């Protein structure tokens, strides 16, 4: 029981550190902190999601080993997997691929994104221009319709 309490405090600490660095746009440090969360608590899904979002903000692909692990752990948990698939769609738009927003909406019609914050993504999208910005705005607006 005591080991669990220590681990919980440790991953909460690293998670908050990661969030602080993320807000300061110190992405490498944010990723390092989120990786520490995963090291301490491998089933902490939001640490993976935050890494994926930080990668999007830097227009980098998701780290393959973390993506594979996330899919293995959470593929059957639609509440958690919808977040991953949302970010994959955004990532695909950056890569100039056509997203299938209708499929995503259909797959998750009975689910919502809870209190997901789009603040970082909104700021990032606002710096884009042209067709990519239009597609990103369309996707983000679809996703925002699923916030409760």
């Amino acid at each position: 029981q005591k080991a669990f309490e220590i681990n919980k405090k440790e991953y909460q600490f690293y998670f908050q550190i990661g969030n602080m660095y993320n807000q300061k746009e110190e992405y490498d440090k944010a990723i390092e902190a989120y990786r520490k969360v995963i090291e301490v608590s491998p089933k902490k899904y939001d640490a993976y999601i935050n890494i994926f979002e930080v990668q999007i903000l830097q227009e980098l692909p998701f780290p393959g080993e973390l993506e594979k692990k996330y899919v293995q752990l959470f593929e059957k948990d639609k509440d958690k997997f919808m977040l991953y698939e949302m970010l994959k769609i955004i990532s695909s738009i950056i890569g100039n691929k056509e997203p299938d927003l209708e499929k995503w909406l259909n797959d998750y019609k009975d689910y919502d994104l809870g209190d997901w914050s789009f603040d970082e993504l909104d700021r990032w999208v606002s710096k884009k221009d042209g067709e990519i910005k239009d597609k990103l705005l369309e996707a983000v607006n679809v996703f925002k319709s699923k916030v409760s």
Side-chain angles (χ1 to χ4, degrees), residues 3-105:
F4 174 76
E5 289 174 20
I6 290 169
N7 278 354
K8 185 175 180 186
K9 287 179 183 173
E10 190 174 0
Y11 80 66
Q12 287 173 338
F13 169 77
Y14 285 114
F15 196 79
Q16 292 306 318
I17 294 293
N19 289 343
M20 180 194 70
Y21 282 128
N22 190 3
Q23 289 176 348
K24 293 170 66 175
E25 298 181 10
E26 294 184 35
Y27 297 130
D28 289 341
K29 290 179 181 178
I31 288 172
E32 187 178 323
Y34 294 137
R35 281 185 179 271
K36 193 72 171 166
V37 171
I38 292 166
E39 184 181 307
V40 173
S41 184
K43 292 186 179 178
K44 198 68 177 125
Y45 79 95
D46 42 1
Y48 295 86
I49 291 297
N50 284 10
I51 289 173
F52 299 154
E53 185 176 16
V54 168
Q55 293 297 101
I56 286 172
L57 297 175
Q58 298 179 92
E59 298 187 21
L60 296 171
F62 297 173
E65 82 283 359
L66 290 182
E67 187 173 12
K68 184 177 178 181
K69 186 160 184 142
Y70 189 89
V71 170
Q72 288 173 342
L73 289 171
F74 304 111
E75 187 172 28
K76 293 187 178 15
D77 186 335
K78 283 193 114 170
D79 285 315
K80 293 176 178 72
F81 208 68
M82 78 183 293
L83 297 169
Y84 164 76
E85 290 201 321
M86 173 187 74
L87 294 174
K88 283 299 284 186
I89 287 172
I90 293 170
S91 181
S92 75
I93 293 170
I94 297 165
N96 249 343
K97 296 180 183 144
E98 277 303 313
D100 193 347
L101 293 170
E102 287 302 317
K103 180 183 180 325
W104 186 87
L105 279 170

